[in-house]
Amino acid sequence: MKRIAVIGLGLIGGSLARAVRQAAQADVIVGYDPDPEQGRRAIELGVVDIAAASAAEAAAGAELIVLSVPVLHTAEALRSVRGALGADTIVTDVGSTKSSVLADVLSVFGELPPRFVAGHPIAGTEKSGVAASKGELFRGRRVVLTPHPNQDPSALQTVRALWESVGSRVVEMDAARHDAIFAATSHLPHVLAYAFVDLLARMDTADEIFPNAGGGFRDFTRIASSSPEMWHDIVRANHVQVSRLLEQQIGELQELLAMMKGGRWSDLRDRFERARAARERHLSQIE
Amino acid sequence: MKRIAVIGLGLIGGSLARAVRQAAQADVIVGYDPDPEQGRRAIELGVVDIAAASAAEAAAGAELIVLSVPVLHTAEALRSVRGALGADTIVTDVGSTKSSVLADVLSVFGELPPRFVAGHPIAGTEKSGVAASKGELFRGRRVVLTPHPNQDPSALQTVRALWESVGSRVVEMDAARHDAIFAATSHLPHVLAYAFVDLLARMDTADEIFPNAGGGFRDFTRIASSSPEMWHDIVRANHVQVSRLLEQQIGELQELLAMMKGGRWSDLRDRFERARAARERHLSQIE
């Protein structure tokens, strides 16, 4: 491609820009971030060739536009680039919720444009910002595309090929199914991790607690260092699914509490055993 | 030392045996595990010099005996080695709960023997068994010793020196305080991780869910691959502290659920932000 635009130069946008350059998939990579400091850093780090002054300027003349903004900023980003779209311009996104993104697309365009492709790379770290971006972030990772009823197959194929060129494995699924699955594997655990760290932080003994944390704690809470803004957006955009799962999780925790209070220790061990067995059974798929 | 006995050749016992050998702290390391296969593997792997046929045989003639058994097996292990103890024999343990261990010691001996030293290395992985043991496991890690009122200072000093010889940093604290702190940093997160994986495993869509898990899921659930027997024992031994914290955690999750259902999104983001800030503030201590 001659020109790719990346709107939002955070961890994901920056990493994709780097990866596209490494894979020599574009002559020019132009980026835009509402925070001028991120744009400046992206130039300094060689992540993009041009840091545009606006999303519209970045989008102008691009064959492919990647929106990598917190999901609740999707509509705003779409409105910013809309005027710059040519008949063949492909727009894709990297948001963690897909029904909300398609709803935003529909509301901004009044239809689902054939050349809009909804996508979600299953990659990332708890770090934020372009300085944390890495060109290898997507290598060997899964990318979910959620085609819509009005989808242009060639646009879908172009986006698929782009992700494959940076080393990802692409799968397709329905947006609603995507959101149900990622509510379980990603959105709920973020809520649980934030809630757990918050509980400890509020304790009088917090200053004694954290220095005594080991490797288990570190890994369990790693995702609680993720961007609160980004995760607020995701949970809010997918709140029906997330709150239903959270309700079920509270119910399960109440059962475990009742086992402890009632001295039903073998029941508790059975739960632990069942969980461990499930994780081990699926381990090869997640590690 | 001439002879050290390790009762229980799991991850911790096996790793300590390896570390003691690497640090040349004992002429002979004798081990015992109720599972003969673990003893055989320990010999094959060079973890111990002798795999004894019983705990009593392992303990006979040892200057230092390390109990590394699931915490609810402490009393049984103490009874097994009791007859083999000389006047100067030091006994220590590596259990994750310290009040319960001291209560077991008191019940077996009718007093707290001056040369029993209660200890807890803050090290481990989700793996179990001697095959997973590593001589470097304790390097740079914290070990908590919880001296009791009847403690012989020289026995305490010997155990401290042993841990320091394998690269650990030793701190001392009261057993009750230890149990309160580790209920928060370690026991509760294990319960939460098991409960979360169990929730997902029970869903009809479990087979679709796990393949779509990413790095955040992997780390958040890693501790759910830990030994269910070991964690059953820990939670049961420290159930007063753990169930109080679990109750508080359920309360916090109910608050977050109410925020989601009530559309109080900025309150939710504030919680996420507070948690992230707390983790970041303490990060240098836990990573």
Side-chain angles (χ1 to χ4, degrees):
Chain A
M1 270 182 261
K2 288 212 166 55
R3 186 179 171 108
I4 286 184
V6 178
I7 310 299
L9 295 168
L11 172 70
I12 299 295
S15 296
L16 184 57
R18 285 181 190 270
V20 164
R21 178 189 305 283
Q22 286 171 13
Q25 291 295 303
D27 296 342
V28 175
I29 302 171
V30 54
Y32 166 73
D33 197 279
D35 174 3
E37 179 56 23
Q38 293 292 309
R40 213 159 24 234
R41 291 285 288 143
I43 292 285
E44 270 171 32
L45 295 167
V47 171
V48 296
D49 300 301
I50 301 168
S54 70
E57 185 186 311
E63 285 149 85
L64 176 74
I65 300 169
V66 182
L67 308 181
S68 50
V69 298
V71 286
L72 293 187
H73 291 73
T74 304
E76 176 193 340
L78 288 166
R79 278 190 294 266
S80 308
V81 300
R82 187 177 184 182
L85 301 182
D88 292 332
T89 315
I90 297 171
V91 181
T92 189
D93 83 308
V94 297
S96 294
T97 62
K98 299 273 58 88
S99 302
S100 78
V101 163
L102 288 174
D104 287 341
V105 171
L106 186 59
S107 100
V108 169
F109 291 92
E111 58 159 2
L112 290 169
R115 295 179 76 75
F116 180 86
V117 181
H120 175 206
I122 316 309
T125 74
E126 75 282 15
K127 308 252 175 18
S128 315
V130 73
S133 64
K134 298 187 293 186
E136 305 72 35
L137 189 65
F138 308 107
R139 198 163 293 156
R141 310 309 294 270
R142 194 177 265 238
V143 172
V144 181
L145 300 180
T146 61
H148 57 77
N150 213 20
Q151 191 75 73
D152 171 28
S154 81
L156 184 64
Q157 180 50 36
T158 300
V159 173
R160 171 187 277 271
L162 183 79
W163 283 113
E164 288 174 349
S165 79
V166 301
S168 296
R169 292 171 296 125
V170 175
V171 298
E172 292 177 23
M173 66 176 76
D174 173 72
R177 189 169 146 230
H178 167 281
D179 290 353
I181 288 173
F182 287 90
T185 58
S186 176
H187 311 171
L188 177 63
H190 276 80
V191 172
L192 297 175
Y194 282 127
F196 171 67
V197 175
D198 190 44
L199 176 74
L200 267 48
R202 286 189 296 144
M203 290 169 68
D204 296 338
T205 49
D207 286 342
E208 292 181 89
I209 285 173
F210 286 95
N212 285 291
F217 179 93
R218 181 192 60 225
D219 286 355
F220 183 73
T221 62
R222 184 173 66 76
I223 52 180
S225 281
S226 304
S227 159
E229 183 193 5
M230 176 178 152
W231 283 95
H232 158 273
D233 276 20
I234 291 168
V235 170
R236 185 168 173 177
N238 199 23
H239 68 93
V240 176
Q241 304 271 13
V242 177
S243 57
R244 196 177 57 213
L245 284 175
L246 177 55
E247 212 155 5
Q248 290 173 17
Q249 182 71 101
I250 291 170
E252 169 133 7
L253 292 174
Q254 283 167 331
E255 284 179 49
L256 298 187
L257 182 62
M259 290 174 191
M260 288 184 208
K261 294 199 164 184
R264 290 161 42 218
W265 301 113
S266 70
D267 290 348
L268 190 74
R269 183 169 41 203
D270 288 349
R271 292 295 176 100
F272 289 1
E273 181 54 68
R274 197 166 70 182
R276 195 186 74 101
R279 188 175 190 276
E280 295 293 306
R281 191 164 58 246
H282 295 286
L283 200 63
S284 60
Q285 296 169 314
I286 60 177
E287 294 200 322
Chain B
M1 271 181 260
K2 288 213 166 55
R3 187 179 171 109
I4 286 183
V6 178
I7 310 300
L9 295 168
L11 173 69
I12 299 294
S15 295
L16 183 57
R18 285 183 191 269
V20 163
R21 180 189 303 286
Q22 285 172 14
Q25 292 294 304
D27 295 341
V28 176
I29 302 172
V30 53
Y32 167 73
D33 197 279
D35 175 1
E37 179 56 25
Q38 293 292 310
R40 213 158 26 233
R41 291 287 286 142
I43 291 285
E44 270 172 33
L45 296 167
V47 171
V48 296
D49 301 301
I50 302 169
S54 70
E57 186 185 310
E63 284 149 85
L64 176 75
I65 299 169
V66 181
L67 307 181
S68 51
V69 299
V71 286
L72 293 187
H73 290 72
T74 304
E76 178 193 336
L78 287 167
R79 279 190 293 267
S80 308
V81 302
R82 188 180 181 181
L85 301 182
D88 292 332
T89 315
I90 296 170
V91 181
T92 188
D93 83 308
V94 298
S96 293
T97 61
K98 299 271 59 89
S99 301
S100 79
V101 163
L102 288 175
D104 287 342
V105 171
L106 186 59
S107 101
V108 169
F109 291 92
E111 58 160 3
L112 290 169
R115 296 179 76 76
F116 181 86
V117 180
H120 175 207
I122 316 310
T125 75
E126 74 283 15
K127 308 256 178 10
S128 313
V130 72
S133 65
K134 297 188 294 187
E136 305 70 38
L137 189 65
F138 308 107
R139 199 164 292 156
R141 310 309 295 271
R142 195 178 265 238
V143 172
V144 181
L145 301 180
T146 61
H148 58 75
N150 213 20
Q151 190 76 72
D152 171 29
S154 80
L156 183 65
Q157 179 51 36
T158 299
V159 173
R160 171 187 278 270
L162 183 79
W163 284 113
E164 288 174 349
S165 78
V166 301
S168 297
R169 292 170 296 126
V170 176
V171 297
E172 292 177 22
M173 67 175 75
D174 174 71
R177 189 169 145 229
H178 167 280
D179 290 354
I181 288 172
F182 287 89
T185 58
S186 176
H187 311 169
L188 178 64
H190 277 80
V191 172
L192 297 174
Y194 281 127
F196 171 67
V197 175
D198 189 45
L199 176 74
L200 267 50
R202 285 189 297 144
M203 290 168 68
D204 296 339
T205 49
D207 286 342
E208 291 181 273
I209 285 173
F210 286 95
N212 285 292
F217 179 92
R218 181 191 60 224
D219 286 353
F220 184 72
T221 62
R222 186 173 65 75
I223 52 178
S225 280
S226 304
S227 160
E229 184 194 4
M230 177 177 149
W231 283 94
H232 158 274
D233 277 19
I234 291 168
V235 171
R236 184 168 173 177
N238 200 22
H239 68 92
V240 176
Q241 304 271 11
V242 176
S243 57
R244 196 177 56 213
L245 284 174
L246 177 55
E247 214 155 5
Q248 290 173 17
Q249 182 72 99
I250 290 170
E252 169 132 7
L253 292 174
Q254 283 167 330
E255 284 179 50
L256 298 187
L257 182 62
M259 289 173 191
M260 288 183 207
K261 295 200 162 184
R264 290 160 42 216
W265 301 113
S266 71
D267 290 347
L268 190 74
R269 183 169 42 202
D270 288 349
R271 291 296 175 102
F272 290 0
E273 182 53 69
R274 196 166 70 180
R276 196 186 73 103
R279 188 175 189 276
E280 296 292 306
R281 193 165 56 245
H282 294 285
L283 199 64
S284 61
Q285 296 170 315
I286 60 177
E287 292 199 322

